[in-house]
Amino acid sequence: IVVSGVLVVSLFVSGTLLAQGVLKTDMSSPKQVVKARKYLMKTVKLNRGDAFKKLEAGNIADIQANGAAMVIMGKVMPPLFKEKYESAYDGTGKYYKGASPAEFEAAAEVLRMAAQNLRMYSEKGNKDGVTKALGDVKQSCSACHTAYRGKY
């Protein structure tokens, strides 16, 4: 059931990205890559926020889908961060400073493991585990953004 659930979430995320015009079969445009990056980051943030709301409401089992979605997003991210594409940003706010592929993959793996733990603890109904895993997901986001995100 978990594998089929992850598959469904994976298909949903991919379908949503395609439907939103974010993920294209030809990702050669730097602006399109940056658009996909930003969309994925927003989606991770929304899943994390939704999971916190479910935790506060006591809906521990429902957090499984959020964990599974963030695992998949962590898998999708690394290829989108191979290049900086500084010129593709609009000149305001924040941009990707760059990292070696190995560094970014390691950072994405921290997110994936935290999200996988979130999914697992949710499945088991372990509120303390879910709380810790959500904190780990948030910490993985903060660590990556601190290391690899710059301001204009």
Side-chain angles (χ1 to χ4, degrees):
I1 292 175
V2 171
V3 173
S4 64
V6 171
L7 179 60
V8 168
V9 171
S10 176
L11 292 172
F12 175 75
V13 169
S14 298
T16 301
L17 289 172
L18 288 169
Q20 296 288 330
V22 173
L23 193 58
K24 306 277 188 188
T25 54
D26 176 18
M27 293 291 286
S28 60
S29 163
K31 286 197 178 282
Q32 189 62 40
V33 172
V34 168
K35 185 177 179 181
R37 289 176 184 171
K38 289 180 177 186
Y39 186 88
L40 281 171
M41 292 298 164
K42 286 178 187 175
T43 306
V44 169
K45 184 177 180 178
L46 289 170
N47 267 280
R48 196 179 76 217
D50 186 53
F52 273 114
K53 288 177 186 173
K54 289 174 182 175
L55 177 62
E56 288 173 357
N59 300 327
I60 304 302
D62 293 345
I63 297 171
Q64 290 178 64
N66 300 100
M70 288 187 282
V71 168
I72 292 164
M73 288 174 232
K75 287 274 190 194
V76 172
M77 281 180 200
L80 295 173
F81 286 86
K82 288 184 178 180
E83 302 290 333
K84 290 185 201 178
Y85 295 128
E86 292 162 306
S87 65
Y89 290 87
D90 61 13
T92 60
K94 299 174 182 168
Y95 69 98
Y96 175 56
K97 295 191 291 190
S100 74
E103 288 172 321
F104 195 87
E105 180 60 44
E109 181 64 18
V110 172
L111 168 63
R112 287 192 298 266
M113 294 306 301
Q116 181 62 28
N117 286 337
L118 178 64
R119 189 206 56 75
M120 178 192 67
Y121 288 126
S122 174
E123 182 180 309
K124 293 179 178 182
N126 182 334
K127 184 178 180 180
D128 291 339
V130 165
T131 301
K132 181 184 181 327
L134 267 172
D136 292 346
V137 167
K138 185 175 181 179
Q139 178 57 37
S140 76
C141 294
S142 296
C144 192
H145 287 195
T146 298
Y148 306 124
R149 201 162 76 165
K151 292 183 179 182
Y152 287 104

